[in-house]
């Protein structure tokens, strides 16, 4: 078990290293290969009006003329130990973890990300609670009443849930519940949970439900399929033969086994969402990481784009690591692997 | 009063292709301390019968009729909830493949404790002690350590021992073992059968051993019931079945029986043809398409369903051949052949 944990942690760290290299390569090596010069890079940091000389100077100062490996090393060092950017006009300070410094917003990228994270974390975790509970419960009931009216209705709705895009369901629910009935927030506002939990929930409820609907549908289908499979297993028959009440057979023996693959998928989904729920955040005008990413791309703010990419990668890798560890707790056979 | 008695038990499953008559009029009796072997090819309805006795078809699609009397109680008409409380305690079951029959996520000990604690209001500690005792009883070395192992950490034979420990944990009065050794290799098979014989003596339970292999029940059974297409076709003491079998299907089973004094692969004479569909059961005697004696009954084998009739002293046979013909064929044609091979 201990070796399993150590192996997974080493694996996760290696994975992050690889992701950082790939990210770096995409933003710095590939453009080079496509013909971009050091000055082209520097030009992005000072705006279009700068003279060639200023740009050339800046390219030197920011190190765009150094070998790629040195640049990568400097970038990683910034994440670990912080960095300083000498633009000639002054020194911009970017403390660790320095995921780059935006010369457009004149802010370390990390500060911006920290501002947005509470929104995205609130959105993702609230939605996750709803979709896991609703999805799994629906899936279990559907499986136990396979072919019933409930099953067919639930699976019909689930199909809609999987196929309808968030901006559609989001806008429809905004029109109905916020503008029509006036019982939910119209979007665009966020209150930290630490300030006012009730208002936090009031503002988030519609985005939660909209996002949860998308995922709950998939989880319901997955749970249903998993339950149908496990309830046919021999060990379920054994559990019944022992004289266990049916409720115990379903939850302790059936659901326990059916949940394992769902835990895996959940880790991936949740990790990815923490890197920004782009569509939901845009639909409800929430200033989360996803919206930040979109803005960064529109502004062509390279350090910001790289920062978001690394953050998302970090969440996905971390979520995967947690899932791997959870998996070993849930399924003892995994510990041998 | 008979401890267990089945009267004309029928278990039919509606399906898209028609009614599957898995068990079709089965009757037998079994006393405490006695062992009944139920033998038949795969698909003859043995497992459906055992699950039926445990009440595990209740609430499903199965159509069940007839009577199952257990210690003075009728179970077919009893409520599902009542039969559940008898399961595990009054009657228990051992399944064929212990790897798939045990939950992969729980320790062996936890699964035995669970079986014990449904029927006994005891603390986890007491149940754990009991589980260790049971593991010891079925011959698992270092039971206080193995109790915390998962099924996949056991060998096949050890797993089946653990399964037996689980079934016996509440001291059941009726124990049904459905192909308990089929998934095991030959040497382990013998050990498990020995164990079951010892335990049955200790526990004085009524034991039903289900198998497709007559060799498995040869030494253990007091009585043997041979099943074909959901019906009993021959029933008698172990001696009746091995010394003077009267049904052509039983002869076939005897011919295809693997024997320890013979190489496993050598000279097995499988019964020609395959088991019949249980939806469109052949007319007359269900065995007639595969029976080489069907033409000796003046056409009755294909037109009339034979009755299960007494041949002598409780030995029952379902065949249109007259008793004298059956005995003559056995003595002159079958027995010498089996002995020669
Ligand atoms: N739940 C079920 N629904 C429909 N048919 C079934 C069901 N269970 C068993 N059967 C059918 O009943 C027949 C007898 O099965 P079974 O009792 O398992 O045979 P065996 O003698 O090998 O144990 C088989 O043809 C099987 O397909
Ligand atoms: S009744 Fe006819 S077909 Fe059936 S076993 Fe007897 S001889 Fe064979
Ligand atoms: Mg079977």
């Amino acid at each position: 078990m201990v070796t399993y944990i150590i192996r997974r942690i080493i694996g996760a760290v290696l994975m992050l290293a690889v992701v950082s290299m790939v990210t770096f390569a995409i933003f710095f090596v590939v453009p080079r290969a496509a013909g971009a010069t050091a000055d082209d890079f520097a030009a992005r940091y000072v705006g279009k009006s700068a003279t060639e000389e200023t740009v050339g100077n800046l390219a030197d100062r920011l190190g765009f003329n150094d070998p790629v490996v040195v640049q990568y090393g400097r970038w990683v060092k910034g994440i670990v130990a912080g960095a300083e950017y000498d633009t000639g006009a002054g020194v911009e300070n970017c403390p660790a973890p320095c995921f780059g410094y935006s010369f457009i917003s004149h802010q370390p990228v990390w500060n911006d990300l920290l501002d947005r994270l509470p929104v995205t974390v609130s959105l993702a975790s609230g939605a996750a609670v709803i979709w896991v509970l609703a999805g799994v419960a629906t899936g279990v009931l559907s499986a136990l009443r396979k072919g019933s009216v409930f099953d067919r209705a639930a699976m019909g709705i689930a199909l809609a849930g999987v196929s309808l895009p968030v901006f559609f369901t989001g806008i429809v629910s905004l029109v109905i519940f916020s503008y029509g009935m006036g019982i939910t927030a119209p979007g665009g506002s966020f209150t930290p949970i630490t300030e006012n939990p009730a208002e936090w929930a009031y503002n988030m409820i519609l985005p939660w439900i909209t996002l949860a609907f998308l995922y709950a549908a998939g989880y319901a289908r997955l749970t249903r399929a998993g339950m149908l499979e496990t309830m046919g297993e021999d060990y379920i028959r054994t559990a019944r033969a022992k004289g266990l009440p049916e409720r115990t057979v379903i939850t302790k023996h059936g659901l326990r086994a059916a949940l394992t693959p769902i835990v895996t998928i959940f880790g991936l989904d949740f990790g990815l969402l923490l890197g920004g729920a782009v569509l939901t955040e845009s639909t409800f005008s929430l200033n989360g990481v996803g919206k930040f990413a979109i803005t960064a791309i529109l502004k062509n703010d390279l350090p910001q784009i790289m920062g978001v990419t690394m953050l998302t990668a970090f969440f996905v890798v971390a979520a995967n690591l947690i899932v791997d560890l959870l998996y070993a707790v849930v399924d003892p056979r995994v510990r041998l692997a | 009063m008979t401890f267990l008695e089945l009267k004309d038990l029928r278990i039919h499953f509606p399906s898209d292709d028609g009614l599957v008559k898995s068990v079709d009029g089965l009757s037998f009796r079994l006393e405490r301390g006695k062992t009944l072997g139920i033998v038949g090819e795969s698909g003859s309805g043995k497992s459906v019968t055992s699950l039926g006795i445990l009440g595990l078809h209740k609430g499903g699609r199965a159509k069940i009729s007839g009577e199952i009397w257990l210690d003075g109680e009728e179970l077919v008409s009893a409520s599902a909830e009542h039969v559940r409380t008898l399961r595990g305690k009054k009657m228990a079951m051992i399944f064929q493949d212990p790897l798939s029959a045990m939950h992969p996520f729980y320790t062996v000990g936890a699964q035995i404790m669970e079986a014990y604690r449904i029927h006994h209001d005891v603390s986890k500690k007491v149940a754990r002690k009991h589980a260790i005792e049971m593991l010891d009883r079925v011959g698992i070395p270092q039971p206080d350590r193995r109790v915390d192992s998962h099924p996949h950490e056991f060998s096949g034979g050890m797993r089946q021992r653990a399964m037996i420990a689980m079934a016996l944990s509440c001291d059941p009065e009726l124990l049904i073992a459905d192909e308990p050794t089929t998934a095991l290799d030959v040497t382990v098979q013998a050990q498990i059968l020995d164990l079951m014989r010892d335990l049955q003596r200790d526990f004085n339970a009524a034991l039903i051993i289900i198998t497709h292999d007559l060799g498995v029940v040869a030494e253990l059974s007091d009585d043997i019931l041979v099943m074909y297409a959901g019906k009993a076709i021959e029933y008698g003491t172990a001696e009746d079945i091995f010394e003077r079998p009267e049904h052509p299907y039983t002869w076939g089973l005897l011919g295809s029986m693997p024997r320890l004094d013979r190489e496993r692969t050598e000279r097995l004479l499988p019964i020609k043809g395959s088991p019949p569909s249980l939806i469109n059961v052949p007319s007359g005697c269900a065995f007639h398409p595969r029976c080489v004696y069907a033409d000796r009954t003046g056409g009755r084998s294909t037109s009339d369903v034979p009755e299960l009739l007494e041949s002598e002293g409780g030995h029952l046979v379902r065949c249109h051949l007259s008793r004298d013909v059956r005995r003559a064929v056995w003595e002159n044609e079958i027995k010498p052949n089996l002995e020669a091979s």
Side-chain angles (χ1 to χ4, degrees):
Chain A
M1 184 72 185
V2 176
T3 48
Y4 174 83
I5 295 176
I6 293 174
R7 279 227 306 273
R8 290 298 135 139
I9 292 178
I10 293 176
V13 171
L14 286 180
M15 193 69 203
L16 273 181
V18 170
V19 170
S20 76
M21 283 178 213
V22 171
T23 312
F24 189 84
I26 289 173
F27 290 107
F28 285 93
V29 182
V30 175
R32 275 291 163 90
T37 62
D39 288 2
D40 290 337
F41 280 100
R44 296 178 150 200
Y45 287 82
V46 284
K48 294 188 174 66
S49 56
T51 64
E52 253 176 56
E53 201 191 328
T54 337
V55 172
N57 250 327
L58 191 67
D60 270 344
R61 285 176 186 283
L62 294 180
F64 289 124
N65 286 316
D66 296 341
V68 173
V69 184
V70 174
Q71 293 188 45
Y72 173 72
R74 197 184 300 130
W75 184 61
V76 173
K77 186 174 160 235
I79 296 177
V80 180
E84 285 180 346
Y85 296 92
D86 183 358
T87 57
V91 178
E92 309 273 18
N93 202 16
C94 177
C98 178
F99 282 96
Y101 186 92
S102 164
F103 288 88
I104 297 177
S105 73
H106 291 279
Q107 275 251 40
V109 173
W110 182 243
N111 287 7
D112 274 325
L113 286 176
L114 274 188
D115 277 352
R116 316 296 176 105
L117 256 180
V119 178
T120 297
V121 171
S122 298
L123 176 62
S125 20
V129 169
I130 298 176
W131 92 59
V132 169
L133 290 181
V136 168
T138 311
V140 169
L141 286 178
S142 272
L144 295 180
R145 307 198 176 131
K146 187 179 167 229
S148 69
V149 177
F150 174 86
D151 178 30
R152 275 178 239 176
M155 287 307 114
I157 296 170
L159 188 64
V162 182
S163 30
L164 292 179
V166 158
F167 50 79
F168 176 77
T169 47
I171 287 170
V172 168
S173 52
L174 269 176
V175 166
I176 297 175
F177 298 107
S178 299
Y179 306 131
M181 299 160 76
I183 51 174
T184 53
S189 36
F190 176 78
T191 317
I193 185 171
T194 44
E195 269 171 35
N196 185 343
E199 206 171 302
W200 170 75
Y202 171 74
N203 282 326
M204 295 305 288
I205 188 78
L206 212 51
W208 281 342
I209 292 176
T210 306
L211 187 56
F213 183 50
L214 177 72
Y215 284 91
Y219 281 61
R221 288 157 62 98
L222 212 67
T223 309
R224 180 179 182 272
M227 277 302 275
L228 283 178
E229 196 186 316
T230 52
M231 289 308 283
E233 295 281 352
D234 286 357
Y235 53 76
I236 295 297
R237 194 185 53 193
T238 309
R240 292 200 175 112
K242 288 183 196 178
L244 287 176
E246 191 62 17
R247 196 167 8 94
T248 316
V249 174
I250 292 165
T251 53
K252 193 171 160 194
H253 291 256
L255 187 56
R256 167 81 190 264
L259 275 185
T260 334
I262 293 172
V263 169
T264 314
I265 307 242
F266 177 76
L268 283 177
D269 284 347
F270 192 68
L272 215 56
L273 262 190
L274 286 180
V278 176
L279 289 179
T280 313
E281 287 174 15
S282 306
T283 307
F284 291 96
S285 317
L286 292 170
N287 265 321
V289 179
K291 204 144 169 267
F292 177 74
I294 295 289
T295 323
I297 291 168
L298 291 178
K299 286 186 304 188
N300 215 344
D301 192 333
L302 206 60
Q304 287 190 346
I305 299 174
M306 280 183 71
V308 173
T309 310
M310 278 309 291
L311 184 78
T312 311
F314 171 78
F315 280 134
V316 172
V317 171
N320 251 314
L321 176 64
I322 293 170
V323 163
D324 276 348
L325 299 183
L326 266 182
Y327 219 98
V329 174
V330 173
D331 185 347
R333 288 170 301 183
V334 173
R335 289 172 214 161
L336 296 177
Chain B
M1 185 179 56
T2 313
F3 177 63
L4 172 71
E5 180 165 14
L6 266 61
K7 289 185 186 166
D8 197 27
L9 182 70
R10 285 166 209 271
I11 303 177
H12 296 173
F13 298 97
S15 80
D16 291 343
D17 304 320
L19 203 58
V20 184
K21 296 177 181 163
S22 300
V23 179
D24 205 27
L26 194 65
S27 307
F28 65 77
R29 295 159 163 243
L30 181 62
E31 298 298 347
R32 279 197 181 82
K34 296 287 181 193
T35 301
L36 171 72
I38 301 184
V39 189
E41 287 166 300
S42 120
S44 51
K46 307 181 299 290
S47 296
V48 171
T49 304
S50 46
L51 296 175
I53 296 173
L54 258 75
L56 288 172
H57 296 304
K58 280 180 188 281
R61 290 170 303 138
K63 304 224 177 315
I64 310 172
S65 69
E67 295 166 27
I68 299 170
W69 289 89
L70 180 73
D71 204 10
E73 269 190 89
E74 206 289 301
L75 301 186
V76 172
S77 56
S79 76
E81 177 57 19
H82 177 66
V83 178
R84 174 183 78 71
T85 62
L86 302 178
R87 268 203 298 276
K89 180 157 177 54
K90 186 114 187 164
M91 49 186 178
M93 189 152 170
I94 299 167
F95 294 99
Q96 172 173 346
D97 180 358
L99 184 58
S100 61
M102 297 189 93
H103 202 296
F105 295 176
Y106 297 107
T107 63
V108 167
Q111 299 187 53
I112 300 176
M113 286 160 65
E114 184 182 39
Y116 189 61
R117 290 186 75 204
I118 313 162
H119 302 290
H120 300 84
D121 190 14
V122 295
S123 69
K124 276 201 173 149
K125 222 176 128 192
V126 173
R128 188 183 155 85
K129 207 168 141 265
H130 178 76
I132 295 173
E133 276 168 26
M134 290 307 303
L135 288 176
D136 192 31
R137 189 107 184 236
V138 296
I140 289 183
Q142 294 180 288
D144 47 342
R145 226 165 45 78
R146 303 300 274 171
V147 72
D148 294 320
S149 301
H150 287 88
H152 68 268
E153 296 168 301
F154 275 35
S155 68
M158 285 296 151
R159 266 197 296 268
Q160 194 55 293
R161 283 173 193 267
M163 189 83 208
I164 294 173
M166 187 159 93
L168 290 180
S169 65
C170 292
D171 205 355
E173 294 167 61
L174 170 65
L175 181 63
I176 304 179
D178 190 353
E179 313 249 5
T181 60
T182 306
L184 307 173
D185 59 50
V186 193
T187 43
V188 184
Q189 277 190 15
Q191 292 167 11
I192 294 290
L193 290 175
D194 279 348
L195 173 70
M196 298 204 28
R197 185 177 21 225
D198 292 348
L199 290 172
Q200 196 221 4
R201 219 175 15 232
D202 295 354
F203 283 78
N204 195 37
L207 176 62
I208 298 180
I209 293 198
I210 291 176
T211 174
H212 62 272
D213 176 1
L214 261 176
V216 167
V217 290
E219 290 173 49
L220 253 70
S221 307
D222 299 294
D223 297 329
I224 293 176
L225 184 148
V226 183
M227 235 176 132
Y228 191 78
K231 287 185 163 71
I233 54 96
E234 184 160 11
Y235 176 88
T237 62
E239 216 185 303
D240 287 337
I241 301 299
F242 284 98
E243 301 300 327
R244 39 185 178 272
E246 290 191 24
H247 196 285
Y249 178 65
T250 311
W251 299 337
L253 286 181
L254 284 166
S256 63
M257 191 174 121
R259 284 188 346 207
L260 290 177
D261 58 351
R262 205 157 54 181
E263 275 295 311
R264 272 214 125 201
T265 49
E266 189 193 350
R267 303 227 42 172
L268 286 188
L269 309 162
I271 305 169
K272 286 199 191 68
S274 46
S277 146
L278 295 175
I279 297 172
N280 297 308
V281 184
S283 64
C285 171
F287 187 54
H288 87 252
R290 304 168 72 187
C291 182
V292 291
Y293 308 98
D295 54 5
R296 301 200 199 172
T297 57
R300 290 170 68 210
S301 289
T302 52
S303 58
D304 303 342
V305 179
E307 296 282 316
L308 186 66
L309 298 174
E310 181 155 7
S311 166
E312 194 179 347
H315 184 179
L316 310 177
V317 183
R318 192 190 287 278
C319 177
H320 287 307
L321 293 173
S322 75
R323 182 167 68 188
D324 294 342
V325 172
R326 295 193 304 247
R327 287 186 174 175
V329 172
W330 166 249
E331 287 298 334
N332 304 327
E333 298 178 32
I334 311 292
K335 197 172 161 192
N337 237 325
L338 284 179
E339 276 163 4
S341 65

